[in-house]
Amino acid sequence: MQAAGIEDKIENSVLAQGVSAFLHSRFFPLLTAAVILACYYSGLDMVSIWYLAVCAIAILITCKDVTPMISLFLFMNIIISMENSPSNLGNESDYYLQPVIYIQIIVAISAAVLTLAARLCVDIIAGRFRPSPMFYGLCALSGALLLNGAFSKDYNPLNFVYGLFLSAMFIGIFMLISGNISPAKKTFEQIAFYFACFAVVLCIELTVVYATYEGLIVDGTIVRSKIFLGWGMYNTIGMLLCICIPAWFYLALTQKFGFVYTVLGMGNICAAFLAVSRQSMIGAAIVGVACLLWLIICSKGRERFVHIVLIVVTLACAGSSIGALFDEVMLYFKSLGDNFMTGSGRIELWKRAVKYFEEYPIFGIGFFGGDLSDYAGDFIGLDIIPLMYHNTVIQMFAACGLTGLIAYIIHRIQTIISFLRNITRERIFIVMTGCVFLILCLFDNHLFYLFPTLVYTALVAVLKASEKREEKADTKQGDKAVKD
């Protein structure tokens, strides 16, 4: 009760109300996009990190509805600049190994995590978070992650540490978002706007790559290995672009002058193809077609006609461009498809996963178990991310055994059931975003790369929080639901 009283005093203060109002405004994601973009090109990674940490703490302290956290989860993915990148595709910088840097990072993360822990305690006392079957399913999944590699030969303690990080993200973020978010239409529009701002930053950085990188296009062919930003290679770039696509078409359906968002959404699809990641091309094609059909079916009257005209014109322009460069395009796609059937070594990697599963069928060989060194690529980070099997399902049964696979299947069934309980336009947007992410996770392990884990868990939490929402519920009703 005392904690709740202190919380009320903070929230009712003029300063807190002003901060909260700004954080919920559209100026906040625009400012965040500008800060992250400026820091990327100036090499001021620590400024980005401190900015995100301070904003997270401000949201946790002042906001009853923590929707703005989703904006931060997105931009956390792209804070490493080319100048300070530890990858040999970048500058092989020791920036993040310098004590003055990693001590600041530890302090910033610790402050945000402690504030999050305090907020969760207050939420539990206030009754805003109530355990649900989906929460228990995530607890079971987290338990399986903690037990990854248990009793396997040469067990690595890092298995537990990595499982602990993932579990904390799944449980902590789910508790925070599902218990502190309004299921009103305005909330979904906010989330879509966050993804749109994020997509604009990605497109700007990808445009700079094409405009300035030497040797990117040779004899009319894109050398995709050259497509690298400090925070990720072409697969990561493509994945992040793909998960932004549904947001544009949701905005096209809900906002005035929706045709503008249709055009921008088509541009986002093109950008995903220009990342030249085969998995992202597949994902962008699937979600792109789904979004266009969704737009045509759900729009009405003159708006539907305008959307159809824009789609036809865009497709005609794309078809004309491909026709004019048909030989070059076919040659390029042939080069991409030369090793498509073997998945760039993925098939052999999956065979090895099956071998490890047969050896340790109950708890798996662990995230850091087994020998995958001959399949190692260039990963962003400081060796804190283990080598993986490039498929979420295969990763679960290889690293966590039947325990992990069953827990993951239960979690997936629960998310499907949650969606079917209340199919609305807003929830379709969330599900389509999650689905394209999961499609790409069949070719890579984005779900277990920590920052994408935050985004995925937030989407699941929004899905859960909106289960009982009526499509015509207004913003005030949603706000009241959060307060209650």
Side-chain angles (χ1 to χ4, degrees):
M1 294 296 293
Q2 185 177 2
I6 295 173
E7 181 191 25
D8 289 338
K9 288 181 180 179
I10 293 174
E11 290 176 352
N12 292 330
S13 69
V14 175
L15 177 61
Q17 289 179 351
V19 172
S20 179
F22 172 75
L23 292 170
H24 280 92
S25 72
R26 292 201 169 184
F27 292 108
F28 174 59
L30 291 172
L31 174 63
T32 302
V35 169
I36 297 301
L37 193 61
C39 289
Y40 177 82
Y41 287 110
S42 58
L44 299 175
D45 297 21
M46 271 316 306
V47 174
S48 291
I49 293 169
W50 275 114
Y51 172 82
L52 294 173
V54 170
C55 288
I57 292 170
I59 292 168
L60 292 168
I61 292 175
T62 67
C63 297
K64 175 114 25 204
D65 182 322
V66 297
T67 303
M69 286 293 292
I70 296 175
S71 176
L72 302 186
F73 293 157
L74 287 169
F75 284 101
M76 284 178 187
N77 286 272
I78 60 172
I79 56 177
I80 301 177
S81 65
M82 180 68 82
E83 179 180 335
N84 300 320
S85 175
S87 172
N88 61 17
L89 294 176
N91 284 344
E92 294 187 87
S93 171
D94 65 348
Y95 179 83
Y96 287 94
L97 293 175
Q98 298 173 23
V100 68
I101 298 301
Y102 67 70
I103 290 174
Q104 287 188 74
I105 293 174
I106 292 172
V107 172
I109 293 175
S110 298
V113 170
L114 288 173
T115 308
L116 172 60
R119 175 62 185 260
L120 292 178
C121 289
V122 172
D123 289 340
I124 293 171
I125 293 171
R128 281 194 290 270
F129 173 75
R130 296 180 179 88
S132 62
M134 188 180 289
F135 172 71
Y136 292 127
L138 275 173
C139 288
L141 179 61
S142 298
L145 291 170
L146 290 172
L147 290 170
N148 78 92
F151 308 113
S152 63
K153 181 182 178 182
D154 301 325
Y155 176 80
N156 192 328
L158 287 176
N159 290 341
F160 178 80
V161 174
Y162 198 71
L164 185 62
F165 275 117
L166 291 172
S167 300
M169 290 181 175
F170 280 128
I171 294 177
I173 301 306
F174 181 83
M175 290 177 65
L176 175 71
I177 301 295
S178 64
N180 294 280
I181 195 167
S182 163
K185 178 183 175 183
K186 181 180 179 181
T187 299
F188 292 90
E189 292 175 349
Q190 270 186 272
I191 295 171
F193 191 70
Y194 297 155
F195 276 94
C197 291
F198 184 58
V200 170
V201 173
L202 295 175
C203 289
I204 290 173
E205 293 189 0
L206 186 60
T207 300
V208 172
V209 167
Y210 273 90
T212 63
Y213 281 24
E214 296 181 3
L216 179 60
I217 301 177
V218 178
D219 297 328
T221 299
I222 301 171
V223 182
R224 66 176 186 157
S225 60
K226 294 279 188 178
I227 299 178
F228 175 79
L229 294 162
W231 44 264
M233 59 188 291
Y234 49 85
N235 281 339
T236 307
I237 298 168
M239 178 274 291
L240 293 175
L241 283 165
C242 280
I243 65 173
C244 294
I245 292 172
W248 294 109
F249 294 96
Y250 172 71
L251 291 171
L253 284 169
T254 60
Q255 303 298 296
K256 192 175 181 180
F257 305 116
F259 64 89
V260 174
Y261 296 101
T262 300
V263 173
L264 294 173
M266 298 288 282
N268 194 154
I269 294 172
C270 293
F273 274 84
L274 288 173
V276 201
S277 162
R278 287 169 297 184
Q279 57 182 265
S280 299
M281 290 180 179
I282 294 171
I286 293 173
V287 77
V289 170
C291 284
L292 292 176
L293 291 175
W294 181 39
L295 181 66
I296 292 171
I297 292 170
C298 293
S299 56
K300 298 177 182 179
R302 189 177 70 173
E303 290 183 353
R304 176 183 290 175
F305 175 75
V306 172
H307 290 317
I308 291 174
V309 170
L310 286 173
I311 292 169
V312 171
V313 170
T314 302
L315 292 177
C317 292
S320 299
S321 299
I322 292 173
L325 301 170
F326 183 78
D327 291 338
E328 291 84 353
V329 171
M330 289 301 100
L331 181 63
Y332 179 66
F333 276 101
K334 181 180 181 301
S335 68
L336 287 179
D338 284 342
N339 60 355
F340 180 78
M341 295 305 294
T342 61
S344 297
R346 283 177 174 82
I347 302 300
E348 292 303 316
L349 189 60
W350 296 343
K351 288 179 180 178
R352 186 167 298 188
V354 172
K355 172 179 174 290
Y356 289 143
F357 171 72
E358 290 173 347
E359 291 178 6
Y360 304 102
I362 305 302
F363 298 111
I365 198 167
F367 278 98
F368 288 88
D371 181 14
L372 303 181
S373 57
D374 46 339
Y375 296 100
D378 281 293
F379 293 91
I380 300 303
L382 303 172
D383 296 327
I384 60 173
I385 305 294
L387 300 178
M388 298 194 199
Y389 299 94
H390 290 271
N391 180 292
T392 299
V393 177
I394 292 174
Q395 181 68 38
M396 287 305 295
F397 75 66
C400 303
L402 281 173
T403 304
L405 181 61
I406 293 171
Y408 180 75
I409 291 173
I410 291 172
H411 168 64
R412 186 58 51 235
I413 292 172
Q414 287 179 323
T415 56
I416 294 171
I417 292 173
S418 175
F419 173 60
L420 295 177
R421 283 177 177 166
N422 183 23
I423 301 176
T424 68
R425 182 170 56 188
E426 283 68 32
R427 284 162 60 81
I428 288 172
F429 153 52
I430 297 298
V431 167
M432 289 180 73
T433 304
C435 280
V436 69
F437 178 74
L438 292 173
I439 289 171
L440 298 182
C441 285
L442 295 176
F443 305 97
D444 210 332
N445 286 97
H446 303 293
L447 181 60
F448 302 124
Y449 288 158
L450 302 184
F451 288 141
T453 308
L454 296 173
V455 178
Y456 169 79
T457 308
L459 292 173
V460 172
V462 171
L463 191 66
K464 173 58 186 173
S466 59
E467 270 186 359
K468 297 180 180 180
R469 174 182 178 266
E470 295 295 332
E471 189 169 4
K472 294 183 180 180
D474 61 23
T475 303
K476 291 182 179 179
Q477 290 174 322
D479 291 340
K480 184 178 183 297
V482 171
K483 292 179 181 178
D484 292 342

